Each structure stands twice: as C-alpha cells, then as structure tokens.
Amino acid sequence: MAKEIPYKIFLDESEMPTSWYNVRADMKNKPAPLLNPGTHEPMKAEELEGVFCSELVKQELDNDTRFFEIPGEIRDFYKMYRPSPVVRAYYLEKKLGTPAHIYYKFEGNNTSGSHKLNSAIAQAYYAKKQGLTGVTTETGAGQWGTALSMACSYFDLDCKVYMVKCSYEQKPFRREVMRTYGGSVTPSPSNTTNVGRKILAEHPDTTGSLGCAISEAVEVAVSTPGYRYVLGSVLNQVLLHQSVIGLEAKAALEKYDVKPDIIIGCAGGGSNLGGLIAPFMGEKLRGEADYRFIAVEPASCPSLTRGKYAYDFCDTGMVCPLAKMYTLGCDFIPSANHAGGLRYHGMSSVLSQLYDDGLMEARSVKQTEVFEAAEFFARAEGILPAPESSHAIRAAIDEALKCKETGEEKNILFGLTGTGYFDLVAYEKFHEGEMNDYIPTDEELAMYAAKLPKI
Amino acid sequence: MAKEIPYKIFLDESEMPTSWYNVRADMKNKPAPLLNPGTHEPMKAEELEGVFCSELVKQELDNDTRFFEIPGEIRDFYKMYRPSPVVRAYYLEKKLGTPAHIYYKFEGNNTSGSHKLNSAIAQAYYAKKQGLTGVTTETGAGQWGTALSMACSYFDLDCKVYMVKCSYEQKPFRREVMRTYGGSVTPSPSNTTNVGRKILAEHPDTTGSLGCAISEAVEVAVSTPGYRYVLGSVLNQVLLHQSVIGLEAKAALEKYDVKPDIIIGCAGGGSNLGGLIAPFMGEKLRGEADYRFIAVEPASCPSLTRGKYAYDFCDTGMVCPLAKMYTLGCDFIPSANHAGGLRYHGMSSVLSQLYDDGLMEARSVKQTEVFEAAEFFARAEGILPAPESSHAIRAAIDEALKCKETGEEKNILFGLTGTGYFDLVAYEKFHEGEMNDYIPTDEELAMYAAKLPKI
C-alpha cells in the first residue's frame, strides 16, 4: 500500500541538496552565449568580471559542469528558511472536486517573501569571498531587493538597490523592510547616474522600468571601486542557484513515490521556473523520464508566447551584454494597469532555448483570471499568494479542471514562489473591479520587435 | 552523545496534539469566575449563551476537565499551517556570543501572521456546529480579525469585524486581507451600534479603542439572530485552544531531551503566553518540574506590573461580564505614540491568578528597546518579527546576555507569535527616530484605578 501523503512534506536538514544542478550540462543545444554589444563577439570572462563577481562569471559561462557544490556558508544560511515544504493541496483539490493530485513547492515562508533569497545569498557570498565591499542591483516589485538586503546584511556587505520609481512610491513597506536589513534604496530613474539623468531629461514624468533600473545599477557597480552588480533573474547563474527548489521538490516527492505528470511555473525572467524544473528537465534531456513543463506568463507581457527569439539588450540603457532570448524588445513596458508582476521584456536564455527546442510549453493568462485564482487559492489553502505565483496557480487549476472532465488522476506540481503581503494594492484593485486585461496589440509588439538589434 | 539539534524542529503531522490542555484543572487557586455586571453573581452558562456559542461557554466555565479533544475538523484545518516549528536560534546565539541555548516557537507562518488562527478556527467551528450564520468580533492591530476571517471563510460563516478606527485607517492592507477572505470590516466607533453612536456623540474625534470595539461587536452579536460574539484573547477558552502552542513546543523539545529553564512570552490579553506555558505550568503546578515563566508587557500598557488585581469590565461600554484580572481600568488607553501592540487594559484571569500566586514573573519593556531587539533579531534570524512578539525577543535577549556574564548554559524558550509585515509603519517610526517611550505616571494610573467597580 502506498504511504499516506501528509499535507506538508518536509525534508530533514540532512537531506538538503549539497550541490546545485546545472541543466545546461545536459542540454544538447546550449543556450546562446552573451555577446559584447560593441563587437558582437561572445563575452569573455575577463570582460564580464568588470560587472560580475569572478566566481559567478565562471558559473555563468560553464555549460558543462553538471553539479556545483553549495559552499558550507550558503548551506548554513539556507537552514534559516529551508528546506521549504512541498504541500499536497488537499483543500484545493476538494474545493475543485478534481481527481488530480496537486502539489506545490512553497518558497514564500521567509521575510523576503519569495524564492529570490536562494540566489541572493549565493551572490552575496561570492562577493564577500572576493573581498568586495558592496553590490548594486535593481528591483521591481521589491522581492529581489529585499532578498539581497537580507543576504548582504548577513555577510556585512553594502547593498544599493535601484527600485522602479512607481514601485518605490506604491510600496513604502518594501522599502522599509530593505532598510531594516540595512539596504539603501533609490527610486529609479534617479539623478545619481548618467543613464538616469539622461532618461529623466528625455522623459521627466517616467515612472521607471526594470530595464532602466538595471542600467543605473550596472553603471554604479562598474564605476565604484569594490562593487559589482548582481541580478535576481534571467542569468544562467541565477537558474543554477534556484535549482535548489527543484532538487528539494524532487527529493520530497520521491519519498512518497510521486512522479509529477505536469510541472508548472510562472515566468518573468525565469528564475523560479528554471529552478523548479531543472532536475526534472535533466531527466527528460537524458531520456530517463518524461514530463510536461508549462511556463505561465502574463498576457500583458508575453515574451515566450508572442515575443521573438533573438539577440536583445537586457536593459533599457543598452549597457549590458546582448542575450539571445525570447523578447518583446528592451523598450517594451507592460501597461500601467498591469499589477501582476513578471514585467521583464525578455526571458532566460536557458529557458528560451528549451522552449525553442519544444521541450517546454508556454501559455499566457489574463490578470483578472490570475487574481480570481489567487483568491480561490487563498480561501482554499490559507496562503495569500503573490500575484506572480498566482499565474502558476491559474494554470494548475485549469489543468486540474481538465482532469475533472476526463477523470484523470494526474499529478500536478507547481511553484508557489511567494506571498502577497506586499501586493495588497493589487488585490484592492481586483476587489474594487478596477483591474482590466489590457493585452498589447500585434501592431504594438511589431513596433518594438522592429527595433531589435540586427545580429 | 546527545542528538544534534537541527535549526528547525518539526513534529510529524501524526505527532500533533489531539487534545487541548486546560491548565485550570491543575490550578489549586482557580481563576475567579466572571460576574454578572448587574447582580455581581457568577455568570451562569445560560446567561453567557446569549453572547457566546454554547460549546465555548462550557469550555469557559470548566475548571476541572484536564483535556478537551480537538475535533477532527479543527485538526484538519490545523494541518494547513501546523505543526509550527520550534527553531533553535543558532544565528542569534552566535551574534550575542551567549552560552545560552535559545529556542523559539514560531507561530507566524500563516496568512493571519500570528498564533490567533489556533483559536479562531476553534471558535468558528463551534459556531458552525451550533447552526449559527455568523459571528462578530473586534480587532486592534488586525491579526485576530484576519485569523477569524480565514476561519469563517473555511466554514462558510459570515464574519463582522469591528476594527479600532486608527488601525483601520493606518492598516488598509490588513483590511484588504480580511476582504480577501470575505470578512466585512467596520471602523470603530461606528454609527452601526448604540454604543458606537453614544461614544461618537461624546468623543467625536476619538480614534477608537479595543474596549469600545468589543462593546460594538457584542451589541451586534446579541441583537442579530443567528450570531454570537467571539474574542481572540483574555478568555479561558482562548487559552485552552492556544495550549496547542505549548503542547507542540514541549513535544518538539522532548524529542531532543531539551528542558527549558526559562519560558518567555509577550502578554497583551494573554492568549499566546497562556498557550505557550500551559503544559509546562501544568508540570510545575503538579510538582513534576520547575520552570521560570516571564510575561513581558509594554511599559506603556503595564497591566501585570503596575495594574490592580480586581474585578473590572472587559470593555469600555460595560456590556460584558466583569472579570477578575490585573487591570489598568477599562477606560485606560495607551499613549497614541505606542506602536508595539499589546494594548489591552486587562489580562487573562488565568494568568492573573498564576501571577498573583507567584508562579510567574512579569516585566515591562520600553518600546524603543523592543524595536531595537526586533531589528537585531530580524538581521540575525531572517524573520521580521511582529512588534508584539518582539517584547518576548527583548526579554530573551536580556536573559541570554545575563548567561553571557555568568557563563550559564541555560535553555531559553520564547514565543515568536507573529510576523511584522503589516507593522512597517511602526518600523518606519523607529528608523526615523520618531518613537518615544511614554510611560504612564503613577497619578494617571491611580486616576483610572479609582474608577474600578467596587466589588
């Protein structure tokens, strides 16, 4: 008889992963290299080391090493909030009346409120190890900035966060958490950088964008001695660190002989999705098992489902290397009405390649449907989900309802990346009926696509 | 060799308590009975049943039954967010350089953000079982109202929350979470009740108080068919439900043969402290073991340390029964500058009796010292604590520092009742240096004490 599955499956601390898994090692078609924006030649390690920590550059460029040992100091920190549980969504299943078995890996039980801490602590560790004094970064909704502030506080590093101006103004509480951990937060665009001053001169009323905040953070990093820039998503190194999510999830499910049929994650830059699916995708790539993977993105920022697979800039200021990815164009900014996060114009090169190779599906969902799913989930499972995570909830519910029609007992695993305690302005909009579902037109997207660099 | 103690000790779901423990059964001096405010006779069950659910009245009045079985439906709900971990505060110990071993029982990993859910679900369950259609309550900081909204949503009960007006205005996000769970929230005092209209007529600019919100909620409960009133602290029944905290903590520590020397909890109305210490106090009352218990309260609302042990009203409108407790007088309201929660004028009758019998210590702490401890803890342990919980953190740190001086390896256990995600206005005040330590004068306290009913 199969073991009864508890509501929450926890690993013991002794069962926590000791290495990160690098899915690139098992990819036949490797993700395309970063290019120097001037020469269009692949970026060399020494070029990247002006921006990123040396050890992280190695991780970024290494497409062959399958496992990277997690340093002891990072594993110690992980014990502060990990292992995170895999939750069997018994209440949700019952409320849906589905024969499907739904599981979610819950990454929200920490003060940053999301999975972002997994990579933040790694990046802070390597910065400290290199003898740096501080790091710079950007943050949109604030999850990444909070995570990095916590990580820097732990290693006694200075942390300068450029926060997209509209978020800075709408989310004073996020700012305050970062301050509690000693992070300094500047609304972007700002007068503290050349690129910020240029953007402000051209668009004095701009409310900012992720791409612009990245440009500012990079400028400060490369022009301040002892500083480097760190990024919370998109990059190969980030997906590597986030593989801890998938490794833990797989180990927890294997304890109960559960093999997921469908694995679902929300996708902005790809950090959570890439981390969650990594070890499962590895099995698929090696022909050892098969899984369906579904990336879920907002209909208002549909890089995988409606973008181009092309080289593009990672930032608005075009100071970063070029990355080959599914992209809407580096000037694309989702509608101001969009409240669901996942606003980045591009997508991780790893995930873009896997998607292009037909190894993963993608779908986009409208934000009112996302918030309906969020509220339904909150009432069923007792957790107020982040809007980002709720994209995955939407798709998981839709798949579970299909099972209800067909009577199939599928195992569905999704990533619950975070909590929505700092997103209640968005919930309020939803409750007040002030949320709409603006979707970019084909003409709009074509206009941005036409501006992609010709490579 | 002793087993190595992990960072987080989780019980298995199968090890969760199946009964609540009623500490009154082991008290030689029972807590004084509630009195009818008109006759000054002990309240009979039938009198209380107009206000409270029948099953809860039984629990309230039963000083003899040692264990109450937790109904299966409640145990199912508990699995949504329990068992909660006992955390060994390795990072905090290291940062303090103390030989003490510090443990905390963390009750904040649920959407209500605190331990309040433990009693909310029990009270909602009994209301549903009795065939009621809804319940009313008051909330100050919003933790209890959120917990009750979640519980009522689960059992499909209507939930009317009277929220202290200043909190209602300062904490729109709390309101929004309650709405997500279908709770209706009214700022108190309001025009929806006689007592609210009376208070508004006399004090049109009042920002409200807990005592006033209680009066409104009770009035609505007794005048609406199918409704009863529920309360999140102070009452015997609440302490009974909250014993799940102490029972889990004790079971978790016993797995590693750890016996706490000192047990510390913050004390407002007493729900957390009473629940945490219950099974340990039981051992002490039965002469099986000895522990030091420390109740920590705000210097600005010092009911145990500077109040009178006397009969008093539980609410401002004087519609509730009289309870014998350590009290500052039912009109006492802490300084507007006070941001640390725990604002209730009285203290649970059970805890008051235990304190009066010398079985428990109490101390008061100033709020700036509380927030210093909160930030120190947040940086060490990665959890942003609620201001309420931070009173216990302050005392735990102080005790650990004493151990540093004496070299004693004491085991300190404290209750980390909740998270501070909705308290960032208070953190901001602290960071901006806008927080002061107003402490009521002896004259002020004497003025309120003089108004205590003569019984």
Side-chain angles (χ1 to χ4, degrees):
Chain A
M1 204 185 99
K3 276 184 282 186
E4 197 187 336
I5 296 166
Y7 284 69
K8 294 186 285 301
I9 310 173
F10 277 103
L11 298 177
D12 286 337
E13 276 163 22
S14 59
E15 298 169 306
M16 287 171 67
T18 54
S19 296
W20 293 304
Y21 166 65
N22 181 9
V23 73
R24 286 167 282 159
D26 285 309
M27 289 169 71
K28 216 171 100 188
N29 300 322
K30 305 292 181 192
L34 295 170
L35 298 187
N36 181 306
T39 64
H40 293 186
E41 290 295 313
M43 292 288 283
K44 296 194 189 72
E46 50 273 31
E47 293 176 286
L48 286 168
E49 283 171 0
V51 182
F52 299 110
C53 304
S54 310
E55 201 65 39
L56 293 167
V57 169
K58 273 192 209 151
Q59 295 178 358
E60 188 66 27
L61 298 177
D62 189 333
N63 287 340
D64 303 308
T65 304
R66 189 170 273 123
F67 290 101
F68 285 82
E69 195 186 332
I70 308 176
E73 290 89 334
I74 299 177
R75 274 152 58 196
D76 277 351
F77 186 89
Y78 278 171
K79 288 180 190 163
M80 201 181 271
Y81 66 103
R82 310 198 68 80
S84 71
V86 168
V87 184
R88 171 76 185 270
Y90 282 117
Y91 310 99
L92 181 63
E93 291 170 18
K94 194 175 162 198
K95 204 163 171 177
L96 290 170
T98 177
H101 294 194
I102 309 176
Y103 298 86
Y104 54 93
K105 176 71 169 164
F106 182 37
E107 292 286 321
N109 270 349
N110 69 75
T111 292
S112 81
S114 83
H115 67 293
K116 295 281 183 182
L117 203 47
N118 301 332
S119 184
I121 191 64
Q123 298 192 47
Y125 167 78
Y126 291 114
K128 186 71 181 180
K129 201 177 154 205
Q130 194 174 327
L132 300 177
T133 50
V135 293
T136 70
T137 198
E138 77 295 330
T139 197
Q143 292 175 340
W144 168 247
T146 310
L148 191 67
S149 298
M150 291 175 71
C152 286
S153 162
Y154 188 73
F155 284 123
D156 202 17
L157 280 168
D158 189 29
C159 177
K160 292 186 196 299
V161 181
Y162 283 84
M163 187 168 184
V164 177
K165 193 186 271 174
C166 61
S167 287
Y168 181 89
E169 283 161 4
Q170 280 171 17
K171 300 193 171 188
F173 292 170
R174 275 279 182 206
R175 218 163 68 200
E176 210 51 46
V177 183
M178 290 185 248
R179 263 174 98 184
T180 301
Y181 286 94
S184 78
V185 192
T186 307
S188 167
S190 75
N191 276 316
T192 65
T193 64
N194 293 327
V195 64
R197 283 186 289 269
K198 183 161 172 280
I199 292 171
L200 280 175
E202 287 166 17
H203 310 282
D205 297 327
T206 180
T207 56
S209 73
L210 266 181
C212 164
I214 294 175
S215 300
E216 291 205 81
V218 171
E219 181 183 322
V220 172
V222 299
S223 60
T224 312
Y227 276 69
R228 291 294 185 281
Y229 167 71
V230 297
L231 180 63
S233 192
V234 183
L235 295 176
N236 298 341
Q237 59 189 263
V238 177
L239 268 71
L240 175 69
H241 307 148
Q242 294 294 358
S243 70
V244 71
I245 304 173
L247 292 163
E248 276 188 12
K250 197 158 180 293
L253 290 174
E254 280 171 359
K255 277 193 163 187
Y256 291 88
D257 298 321
V258 174
K259 187 181 162 296
D261 299 294
I262 311 175
I263 302 172
I264 299 170
C266 61
S271 67
N272 148 68
L273 179 67
L276 175 67
I277 70 174
F280 301 99
M281 182 61 86
E283 286 190 324
K284 183 165 176 164
L285 289 164
R286 295 191 302 272
E288 296 165 8
D290 197 16
Y291 302 97
R292 272 183 72 198
F293 300 102
I294 307 177
V296 192
E297 58 184 14
S300 56
C301 192
S303 56
L304 282 173
T305 52
R306 296 177 69 200
K308 303 281 177 209
Y309 190 35
Y311 268 103
D312 192 11
F313 289 95
C314 296
D315 64 323
T316 313
M318 302 183 186
V319 301
C320 289
L322 292 158
K324 189 171 177 194
M325 53 185 179
Y326 277 85
T327 179
L328 299 164
C330 71
D331 290 329
F332 179 86
I333 297 176
S335 154
N337 186 276
H338 176 70
L342 308 172
R343 311 173 135 261
Y344 190 63
H345 65 275
M347 180 62 63
S348 139
S349 291
V350 171
L351 292 178
S352 292
Q353 187 61 47
L354 291 168
Y355 180 58
D356 203 56
D357 287 341
L359 291 157
M360 185 177 83
E361 305 164 36
R363 70 177 64 159
S364 73
V365 289
K366 294 179 190 165
Q367 67 172 348
T368 52
E369 295 165 356
V370 166
F371 276 85
E372 278 163 17
E375 186 161 287
F376 190 87
F377 179 84
R379 291 188 183 192
E381 291 285 320
I383 296 171
L384 188 81
E388 292 83 355
S389 324
S390 304
H391 288 74
I393 295 173
R394 173 77 267 166
I397 288 177
D398 291 345
E399 291 300 318
L401 290 175
K402 281 184 205 160
C403 289
K404 188 176 179 176
E405 279 181 27
T406 62
E408 286 173 291
E409 254 189 49
K410 284 188 184 164
N411 290 321
I412 300 170
L413 169 66
F414 72 90
L416 188 70
T417 55
T419 49
Y421 305 137
F422 293 94
D423 301 287
L424 285 156
V425 170
Y427 273 90
E428 189 173 18
K429 268 173 96 168
F430 172 65
H431 291 143
E432 297 290 344
E434 288 166 5
M435 188 171 274
N436 67 34
D437 284 320
Y438 179 79
I439 297 173
T441 63
D442 288 340
E443 291 68 30
E444 243 179 294
L445 294 184
M447 186 189 79
Y448 288 108
K451 293 198 277 180
L452 285 169
K454 309 284 175 266
I455 294 161
Chain B
M1 203 185 102
K3 276 184 281 186
E4 198 186 335
I5 295 167
Y7 284 69
K8 293 186 285 301
I9 311 173
F10 277 104
L11 297 177
D12 287 336
E13 276 164 21
S14 60
E15 298 169 306
M16 287 171 67
T18 54
S19 295
W20 293 303
Y21 165 64
N22 181 10
V23 74
R24 285 168 283 159
D26 285 309
M27 289 170 70
K28 214 171 103 189
N29 298 323
K30 305 293 181 191
L34 296 171
L35 299 186
N36 181 305
T39 65
H40 293 186
E41 291 295 312
M43 291 289 283
K44 297 194 188 73
E46 51 272 30
E47 292 176 285
L48 287 167
E49 283 172 1
V51 182
F52 299 111
C53 304
S54 310
E55 201 65 39
L56 293 167
V57 169
K58 271 191 210 152
Q59 295 178 0
E60 189 65 28
L61 299 179
D62 189 334
N63 286 340
D64 304 307
T65 305
R66 188 170 275 122
F67 290 100
F68 284 83
E69 196 186 333
I70 307 176
E73 290 90 333
I74 298 176
R75 273 152 58 195
D76 277 352
F77 185 89
Y78 277 170
K79 288 180 189 162
M80 200 181 270
Y81 66 103
R82 310 199 67 81
S84 71
V86 167
V87 184
R88 171 76 185 268
Y90 282 117
Y91 309 98
L92 180 63
E93 290 170 18
K94 194 175 161 198
K95 206 163 170 175
L96 291 170
T98 177
H101 294 194
I102 309 176
Y103 298 86
Y104 53 93
K105 176 71 169 165
F106 181 36
E107 292 287 320
N109 270 349
N110 70 74
T111 291
S112 81
S114 84
H115 67 293
K116 296 282 182 181
L117 203 47
N118 301 332
S119 183
I121 192 61
Q123 298 193 45
Y125 167 78
Y126 291 114
K128 186 71 180 182
K129 201 177 155 207
Q130 194 174 328
L132 302 177
T133 50
V135 293
T136 70
T137 198
E138 78 295 330
T139 198
Q143 292 176 339
W144 168 247
T146 310
L148 191 67
S149 299
M150 292 176 70
C152 286
S153 163
Y154 187 74
F155 284 123
D156 202 18
L157 280 169
D158 190 28
C159 178
K160 292 186 197 299
V161 181
Y162 284 83
M163 187 169 184
V164 176
K165 192 185 271 175
C166 60
S167 287
Y168 181 89
E169 281 160 7
Q170 280 171 17
K171 300 195 172 186
F173 292 171
R174 274 282 181 203
R175 218 164 68 200
E176 211 50 46
V177 184
M178 289 186 245
R179 262 174 98 183
T180 301
Y181 287 93
S184 77
V185 192
T186 307
S188 167
S190 75
N191 277 316
T192 66
T193 63
N194 292 327
V195 64
R197 283 186 289 270
K198 183 161 171 281
I199 292 170
L200 281 175
E202 288 166 15
H203 309 282
D205 297 327
T206 179
T207 55
S209 73
L210 265 182
C212 163
I214 294 176
S215 300
E216 290 205 83
V218 170
E219 181 183 321
V220 173
V222 299
S223 61
T224 313
Y227 276 69
R228 291 293 184 284
Y229 167 71
V230 297
L231 180 63
S233 192
V234 183
L235 296 176
N236 298 341
Q237 59 188 265
V238 176
L239 269 71
L240 174 69
H241 307 148
Q242 294 295 358
S243 69
V244 72
I245 304 173
L247 292 164
E248 277 188 12
K250 196 158 181 293
L253 290 174
E254 280 171 359
K255 275 193 163 186
Y256 291 88
D257 298 322
V258 174
K259 187 181 163 296
D261 299 294
I262 310 176
I263 302 172
I264 299 170
C266 62
S271 68
N272 148 70
L273 179 68
L276 174 67
I277 69 174
F280 301 99
M281 182 62 86
E283 286 190 324
K284 183 163 175 165
L285 289 164
R286 295 189 303 271
E288 295 163 11
D290 197 17
Y291 303 96
R292 269 184 72 198
F293 301 102
I294 306 176
V296 192
E297 58 184 13
S300 56
C301 191
S303 55
L304 282 174
T305 51
R306 296 177 69 200
K308 303 281 177 208
Y309 190 34
Y311 267 103
D312 192 11
F313 289 95
C314 296
D315 64 322
T316 313
M318 303 182 185
V319 302
C320 290
L322 293 158
K324 189 173 177 193
M325 52 186 180
Y326 276 85
T327 178
L328 299 164
C330 71
D331 290 329
F332 179 85
I333 297 176
S335 153
N337 186 277
H338 176 70
L342 309 172
R343 313 172 134 262
Y344 191 63
H345 65 275
M347 180 61 64
S348 140
S349 291
V350 170
L351 292 179
S352 293
Q353 186 62 47
L354 291 169
Y355 179 57
D356 203 56
D357 287 341
L359 292 156
M360 185 176 83
E361 305 164 35
R363 69 178 64 161
S364 74
V365 288
K366 293 179 189 166
Q367 67 172 347
T368 51
E369 294 165 356
V370 165
F371 277 84
E372 278 163 18
E375 187 161 286
F376 189 87
F377 179 84
R379 292 187 182 193
E381 291 287 319
I383 295 171
L384 188 80
E388 291 84 354
S389 324
S390 304
H391 289 72
I393 295 173
R394 174 75 269 165
I397 288 177
D398 291 344
E399 291 300 318
L401 290 175
K402 280 184 205 159
C403 289
K404 190 176 177 177
E405 280 181 27
T406 61
E408 287 172 289
E409 253 189 51
K410 283 188 184 164
N411 290 320
I412 300 171
L413 169 66
F414 72 88
L416 188 70
T417 56
T419 49
Y421 304 137
F422 294 94
D423 301 289
L424 285 155
V425 169
Y427 274 90
E428 190 173 17
K429 269 172 94 168
F430 172 66
H431 290 144
E432 297 290 345
E434 291 167 3
M435 188 171 274
N436 67 35
D437 285 320
Y438 179 79
I439 297 174
T441 62
D442 289 340
E443 291 68 32
E444 243 180 294
L445 294 183
M447 186 190 78
Y448 288 108
K451 291 199 280 180
L452 284 169
K454 308 285 175 269
I455 294 161

